[in-house]
Amino acid sequence: MGIRFVLLVNKQGQTRLAQYYEYLTLEERRALEGEIVRKCLTRTEQQCSFVEHRNYKVVYRRYASLFFLVGVDNEENELAVLEFIHLFVETMDRHFGNVAHFMLEEMVMNGCVVETSKSNILAPIQLMDKAA
Amino acid sequence: MAGSSSGPSLMDSLFQRTLDDLIKSLRSATAISGADSPSLVLSRAVDDIRREIRASDQTTKAIALQKLTYICALHGVDISWAAFHPLELLPSPIFLHKKLGYLAASLSFSPSTSVLPLATHQLRKDLSSPCDPAAALALEFLSSPAASADLARDLCVELSSLLSSTRPRIRVKSTAASLRFFTLYPDSVRVAFKRLVENLECADQRVVSAAVGVFCELSAVDPKSYLPLAPEFYRILVDCRNNWILIKVLKIFSRLAPLEPRLAKRIVDPVCDHLRQSSAKSLVFECIRTVFTSLDGFDDAVKLGVEKLGEFLASEDDPNLRYLGLKGLSMLQPIHLWAVEESREIVVKSLGDPDSNIQREALHLIVRMVSDANLIEISTILLNYALKSDPEFANEILGEILSACCRNFYELVVDFDWYVSLLGDMSRHPHCTKGEDIEHHLVDIGLRVKDARPELVRVARDLLIDPALLGNPFICRILSAAAWVSGEYVELSRNPVELVEALLQPRVSLLPVSARAVYIQSVFKVLIFCLHSYLEQDGAGPLVTRDPVGGSQMSESSDAVMFEISSNCSFDSRIGLEGKDNASNVQRAHTSNDSAETKGFLTYDSLKHILDLIEMSLNPLVECSEVELQERARNILGFISALQKVQGSDFDEEGFRRDPRNCKLITVMADAFLEDLGPVSANAQGRVLVPDGVSLRDDLSDLDGILEGERLEEPSSAPVFFKRSDQLSEAQEEDLPSLTESKSLLAEHRRQHEVYYLPKESSEAEKEGYPRANEAPSSVGHGHIAEGSIQDLIKLTKESLGPRRTKPRPVVVKLDEGESVPTASSLKSVEPRDDPLSGVVREVLLQDGDEPTTSRRISSGNPSRRRSKGTMIPRSTGESAPHSDENLGDLQKGGRHHRSHSHRRQGRDGAQSRPETEDRGEEGKVSHKGSHRSNHPRRHRRKEEAEGPLNVIQQAPPGQDLLL
């Protein structure tokens, strides 16, 4: 599976959003988040956005005070994942609200990026808002 | 307000806190403890939710579930108790509620959640719903980690029909979900595979993207099964303009191309086109990866890739591109190492990069550039650089040097004297934690490389004699190896007396028991050697004549050359007998002259000194509670007292030398240590024939019966040390004198080895004034490599091509080819693929689920599928034989680091099964059913079922148009 998880973490290291594409127990998730956050948040702007961790790698990017961390397979294309993060952020920008999970669901299934058009991602979410 | 036991009241619904409220209160709860602590807010919120979630009002329930989901996902609260509630919301007519129900289920369920089967009906309903969002929700849930095999089994028919839906969004989602279905329930392949393949040609790019994504994942596990789809992938590669899709297709091709040389030939042009034309770095990098890993037989393509990679490496302001540039270089096959050497300047510079990840990649690349000509210089400079790095990176450097040097039985090492002293220097590195590796290398070289032994003994002596090293727990294993080397090859030592002093110095007590045991045993060996050579050095005549047995034993053990050197009398004739290699003989003669000289200094007084020292140092150990120490100390002391018994009270020089019983005793012991320890093949045990009448396979079930009678006595056989516990108090009383004794020993040692002690002033402040071995030298700067050493490295790596040998490489003893010494590099290359998908998908696509995994793995190496295809297309090995074989050969030779194993196996297997598969291929030409007679009838039948829809492609030979 290409993408294993998506994490949003604030500067203090608190998880703000966690979406996993493989099943991990709550303890495993907590341990993983702790290790990765420690590893990524200590890095500086001059360092690259890729961190190898265990048998996968983490591609991360910082936007304001929020870190976007995406865990991917070793063979995954790092730059494409960075682009994916950017896409995600831009989409959130366009429609900010408490809908990050839903957007991710539109974009990623099974760890594969399935939707790369911003309006396509937002259409069902806006539809849902109207319905509610 | 209603108690928590009764149902939720109207008040609960009216004043229910929303998710926003909850988040606000959680974020404002900053106090660590007290009424406002986050954990308290959390537990209060959970209490509220427990009440609210039982409300009959759907909205109250939905909000409660929403809050619960938030708490579970971000605060790791276990909500398995609420598993039923998401199910309650699934059938809701209000879409938002349904959505919340699905979200909660997909985030908190696992395949083993007990209520999961209850969702089947609703999922089926939603899947067939004409409403897009509902169907999409169900599909999203089914591709989440919560989906179970049962769900996949029950719903795969519905999925299959959605795969060709006219609603684009549903078609995309169902395509992506099919991957989950295939992995969970392999048989769903039969129902859905055909439509999935059709989706590769869908007009909607999103559907193609999803389908390619699925095949990308599937092909990672078992690429061979997807070779027939190459034409479809090829069309996408050529026509598609979407970078996301292209990247995935390139990944698929990089897995398929190694299996089919003609495919590689076909795709190299389109890949290069993308490489030239694309402005997207992600796509460019993917092309480079594909070329380097799978199209490395095409020099022009590799050159283009290297050129493009240069742009990555040169991007000063983007660490991401620099990192990927180095990563790309490390993907190059060994035959294209020229490209790494071309960029060596950048690579070496990156060693000083502010990013440790970039440093690390650079280090790996530098080590790859190491050749036998520049090994010494690069290692020396890297070692110096390690001194300036932080401990973690320093040890990584040390590890890289070690594994580069020991690769394939030290094949890069020409000068073993240098390597052995490098090991000594490494041991003194303040942060060295590679004790285990260095220990192994010291002993291993001792066993394998005879010519390195003199230097080895010298290095070991320097390590042993330094009292500062004894306090460092990381290098006690190195010291233990040094002690063993000194004892085993003591005849090469320049000063055995000094060695005994070093091995018995007071601070040895700081070592762990295992190391101390080796020390004591080495003392024994050195002692015997000293006694033996003392007797020989002027009483040589009488000794040899007196003890012909010992002499004959010596000459019998042909391996023990080094020991024979030590005995002056037989040394000359020995050289004559062995005179095969002049150079090494000269060297050997030289060293033996040295040792002969040394022995000249062995006087009766120095012997007496050794004996006294041993007695004084080991006597306390006789009462030691560590059996290893106690036993070995008693061995030596027992031997000494045996000597004294023979001698009686008048233990004088003349008597000692003349007494035949003494000589006998010492010679017997010397003979005992004479046998040279050689390396033993890992398979040696397997070659020992089992004697007749010994049955190793009978179980020992009757052993209990036999032992029944003896069981009662068992406890008595355990070692019991009554005596010691009796004397414990006594020993404690003696503590005081023994303390002063050890102090005087220390003072004595200090007097003799002043060099190793700190100057007096500081030692007065600190009782035991040794510098801490792990202390960083004051010059240690953090992080950045000095400009000078980088320049040095650049210069050096430039020379790496020039062969430059100053002295002949000594013989390294290797055993049969099967010997597998677990070196660091070989461990690294064995990298089992433990992808959870693989097992299941292999079952689906290769259809031999009833075989155990191991045999599966072998048959996956058997390229029967490719073969049979090859025979359908007019003989792959006949027509384009030279080319394809060459490519395959290249691959097998220089397979990527972690793949080399499987490649090799494939090659071997293929060779073995060739005749059989050729037969099969001919049958296959006549009719497909011929394949039923193969080794795996079941596998073939099921494959036809599963890929039935593909028969169209298979009968019009797959990829023929594409490949010819």
Side-chain angles (χ1 to χ4, degrees), chain B residues 520-635:
Chain B
I520 297 174
Q521 188 70 8
S522 295
V523 169
F524 202 0
K525 287 179 187 169
V526 176
L527 171 69
I528 297 295
F529 169 76
C530 289
L531 290 171
H532 192 237
S533 46
Y534 172 72
L535 286 181
E536 275 187 353
Q537 68 191 7
D538 52 1
L543 184 72
V544 170
T545 49
R546 206 178 299 153
D547 203 346
V549 185
S552 68
Q553 271 178 4
M554 272 188 211
S555 46
E556 264 171 28
S557 57
S558 58
D559 271 347
V561 180
M562 285 310 178
F563 278 96
E564 315 232 0
I565 292 166
S566 69
S567 55
N568 287 343
C569 54
S570 59
F571 148 60
D572 280 337
S573 59
R574 175 63 32 194
I575 292 293
L577 283 174
E578 290 234 335
K580 288 174 195 161
D581 183 335
N582 268 338
S584 72
N585 270 341
V586 170
Q587 207 183 349
R588 220 175 281 162
H590 179 69
T591 51
S592 57
N593 277 338
D594 276 357
S595 60
E597 258 173 52
T598 315
K599 270 182 273 126
F601 295 120
L602 267 182
T603 60
Y604 181 74
D605 285 340
S606 56
L607 267 190
K608 193 97 173 76
H609 168 65
I610 292 179
L611 288 170
D612 288 346
L613 189 64
I614 291 175
E615 275 188 297
M616 185 168 62
S617 311
L618 294 187
N619 256 331
L621 292 180
V622 171
E623 302 296 332
C624 179
S625 60
E626 298 290 348
V627 278
E628 277 289 316
L629 300 187
Q630 189 201 40
E631 213 165 304
R632 290 179 195 218
R634 277 181 186 273
N635 279 345

Side-chain angles (χ1 to χ4, degrees), chain A residues 26-27 44 55 63 71 77 84 93 100 104 106 120:
Chain A
L26 288 175
E27 289 74 39
T44 64
N55 58 345
Y63 287 89
N77 188 305
F84 161 75
D93 250 13
L104 259 188
E106 296 299 327
N120 279 336

Side-chain angles (χ1 to χ4, degrees), chain A residues 1-2 16 23 30 43 46-50 52 75 77 82 98 102 105-106 109-110 115 128, chain B residues 19 27 74 99 110 140 143 169 173 176 206 217 251 255 282 286 320 323 327 354-355 357:
Chain A
M1 128 170 359
R16 286 301 184 221
Y23 182 74
R30 203 175 304 151
R43 293 172 62 79
Q46 289 82 47
Q47 299 183 320
C48 69
S49 307
F50 317 123
E52 289 182 13
E75 292 186 10
N77 188 305
L82 268 185
N98 184 24
F102 302 156
E105 267 175 20
E106 296 299 327
M109 284 178 78
N110 268 329
E115 186 55 80
M128 182 186 74
Chain B
L19 178 60
R27 292 198 180 172
L74 292 197
K99 175 116 198 165
S110 78
E140 279 157 12
S143 62
R169 184 162 170 241
K173 300 235 167 211
R206 294 185 290 162
E217 296 305 321
K251 283 195 185 300
R255 289 164 192 148
S282 51
E286 199 57 49
N320 287 343
Y323 174 80
K327 264 269 176 234
D355 185 351
N357 291 355

Side-chain angles (χ1 to χ4, degrees), chain B residues 176-189:
Chain B
S178 62
L179 174 63
R180 192 92 195 148
F181 275 76
F182 291 175
T183 49
L184 287 173
Y185 180 61
D187 282 346
S188 60
V189 167

Side-chain angles (χ1 to χ4, degrees), chain B residues 683-924:
Chain B
N683 310 323
Q685 181 72 46
R687 285 197 294 258
V688 177
L689 290 178
V690 180
D692 284 345
V694 175
S695 140
L696 294 175
R697 300 206 177 271
D698 279 0
D699 59 16
L700 298 172
S701 56
D702 50 344
L703 197 65
D704 277 350
I706 297 168
L707 293 176
E708 198 80 341
E710 292 170 39
R711 187 157 292 173
L712 284 175
E713 297 158 26
E714 218 167 291
S716 69
S717 66
V720 185
F721 300 102
F722 292 115
K723 196 179 166 209
R724 185 165 316 109
S725 57
D726 286 344
Q727 292 183 342
L728 201 65
S729 53
E730 205 179 310
Q732 275 164 349
E733 280 161 28
E734 284 171 3
D735 226 21
L736 210 66
S738 75
L739 194 70
T740 53
E741 188 183 39
S742 79
K743 261 186 200 158
S744 65
L745 275 175
L746 195 62
E748 176 66 13
H749 192 262
R750 183 182 189 114
R751 196 180 52 72
Q752 287 180 8
H753 302 282
E754 194 68 47
V755 205
Y756 294 103
Y757 286 80
L758 284 183
K760 261 285 192 279
E761 312 89 78
S762 62
S763 72
E764 269 164 14
E766 202 184 336
K767 207 61 184 191
E768 285 186 305
Y770 303 100
R772 279 208 303 121
N774 247 3
E775 218 161 72
S778 53
S779 64
V780 168
H782 202 73
H784 297 271
I785 186 168
E787 202 43 42
S789 53
I790 284 191
Q791 290 306 327
D792 284 349
L793 263 184
I794 293 174
K795 223 183 296 157
L796 278 172
T797 47
K798 266 180 201 160
E799 296 159 4
S800 72
L801 282 175
R804 183 160 48 91
R805 291 198 170 187
T806 47
K807 76 189 202 185
R809 188 172 188 270
V811 183
V812 179
V813 179
K814 288 182 213 174
L815 299 166
D816 51 358
E817 247 180 83
E819 180 175 27
S820 58
V821 174
T823 56
S825 62
S826 75
L827 283 181
K828 240 181 262 170
S829 66
V830 181
E831 199 174 273
R833 314 197 57 168
D834 51 358
D835 182 0
L837 283 172
S838 64
V840 201
V841 173
R842 270 195 231 128
E843 270 177 35
V844 195
L845 293 159
L846 282 177
Q847 270 83 38
D848 47 358
D850 43 355
E851 282 177 39
T853 336
T854 44
S855 68
R856 236 313 293 138
R857 202 166 290 156
I858 289 164
S859 65
S860 92
N862 178 351
S864 65
R865 195 190 168 99
R866 180 161 55 84
R867 281 274 158 57
S868 61
K869 196 159 71 84
T871 47
M872 275 186 273
I873 307 165
R875 284 303 292 148
S876 70
T877 40
E879 206 172 72
S880 55
H883 179 75
S884 62
D885 278 353
E886 208 173 81
N887 273 338
L888 270 178
D890 283 348
L891 258 161
Q892 283 164 9
K893 230 187 298 162
R896 261 193 303 169
H897 216 49
H898 59 281
R899 280 205 178 164
S900 58
H901 269 261
S902 63
H903 275 304
R904 207 168 303 144
R905 187 181 291 137
Q906 272 184 12
R908 224 177 274 155
D909 253 23
Q912 279 164 8
S913 59
R914 184 157 303 193
E916 187 204 342
T917 45
E918 271 175 12
D919 287 348
R920 202 193 304 161
E922 260 157 73
E923 281 168 8

Side-chain angles (χ1 to χ4, degrees), chain B residues 316-615:
Chain B
E316 292 283 334
D317 52 343
D318 192 341
N320 287 343
L321 296 185
R322 286 207 306 275
Y323 174 80
L324 290 178
L326 295 175
K327 264 269 176 234
L329 284 183
S330 66
M331 289 171 198
L332 279 167
Q333 308 286 339
I335 52 163
H336 295 301
L337 219 53
W338 56 267
V340 185
E341 308 223 345
E342 242 172 38
S343 344
R344 67 182 157 255
E345 210 156 314
I346 295 177
V347 173
V348 172
K349 251 183 207 147
S350 306
L351 204 58
D353 201 277
D355 185 351
S356 55
N357 291 355
I358 292 178
Q359 285 183 316
R360 207 156 287 148
E361 287 303 323
L363 173 65
H364 293 320
L365 282 169
I366 289 174
V367 172
R368 270 191 84 183
M369 282 190 267
V370 164
S371 68
D372 53 356
N374 62 15
L375 176 73
I376 296 183
E377 288 87 351
I378 289 191
S379 304
T380 315
I381 292 174
L382 280 180
L383 188 64
N384 281 337
Y385 181 50
L387 274 170
K388 300 178 199 137
S389 310
D390 58 298
E392 197 193 343
F393 191 52
N395 274 301
E396 228 163 289
I397 294 177
L398 296 186
E400 287 290 339
I401 299 175
L402 285 172
S403 61
C405 289
C406 77
R407 196 184 303 149
N408 197 11
F409 300 105
Y410 314 96
E411 69 177 351
L412 291 182
V413 180
V414 178
D415 183 350
F416 275 89
D417 288 357
W418 161 79
Y419 184 51
V420 166
S421 60
L422 179 84
L423 290 176
D425 293 344
M426 268 190 200
S427 315
R428 291 170 196 277
H429 186 281
H431 305 298
C432 176
T433 55
K434 297 280 168 197
E436 208 168 320
D437 293 336
I438 297 176
E439 174 201 26
H440 174 75
H441 287 198
L442 286 175
V443 174
D444 198 42
I445 290 174
L447 293 175
R448 289 185 194 278
V449 192
K450 273 182 188 164
D451 293 347
R453 285 174 192 169
E455 179 65 10
L456 195 61
V457 168
R458 198 193 60 74
V459 167
R461 174 255 180 212
D462 287 352
L463 288 172
L464 291 176
I465 211 159
D466 185 350
L469 295 177
L470 286 164
N472 180 352
F474 289 115
I475 61 169
C476 57
R477 302 197 58 164
I478 303 173
L479 291 176
S480 151
W484 180 83
V485 163
S486 306
E488 187 68 18
Y489 310 117
V490 58
E491 72 279 357
L492 301 172
S493 169
R494 278 161 192 273
N495 189 347
V497 180
E498 177 190 66
L499 206 54
V500 173
E501 285 168 348
L503 289 168
L504 292 173
Q505 62 180 296
R507 270 171 70 95
V508 165
S509 60
L510 295 173
L511 290 173
V513 172
S514 56
R516 291 181 73 186
V518 178
Y519 266 62
I520 297 174
Q521 188 70 8
S522 295
V523 169
F524 202 0
K525 287 179 187 169
V526 176
L527 171 69
I528 297 295
F529 169 76
C530 289
L531 290 171
H532 192 237
S533 46
Y534 172 72
L535 286 181
E536 275 187 353
Q537 68 191 7
D538 52 1
L543 184 72
V544 170
T545 49
R546 206 178 299 153
D547 203 346
V549 185
S552 68
Q553 271 178 4
M554 272 188 211
S555 46
E556 264 171 28
S557 57
S558 58
D559 271 347
V561 180
M562 285 310 178
F563 278 96
E564 315 232 0
I565 292 166
S566 69
S567 55
N568 287 343
C569 54
S570 59
F571 148 60
D572 280 337
S573 59
R574 175 63 32 194
I575 292 293
L577 283 174
E578 290 234 335
K580 288 174 195 161
D581 183 335
N582 268 338
S584 72
N585 270 341
V586 170
Q587 207 183 349
R588 220 175 281 162
H590 179 69
T591 51
S592 57
N593 277 338
D594 276 357
S595 60
E597 258 173 52
T598 315
K599 270 182 273 126
F601 295 120
L602 267 182
T603 60
Y604 181 74
D605 285 340
S606 56
L607 267 190
K608 193 97 173 76
H609 168 65
I610 292 179
L611 288 170
D612 288 346
L613 189 64
I614 291 175
E615 275 188 297

Side-chain angles (χ1 to χ4, degrees), chain A residues 111-125:
Chain A
C112 299
V113 177
V114 293
E115 186 55 80
T116 55
S117 138
K118 276 162 238 169
S119 48
N120 279 336
I121 297 168
L122 287 180
I125 294 169

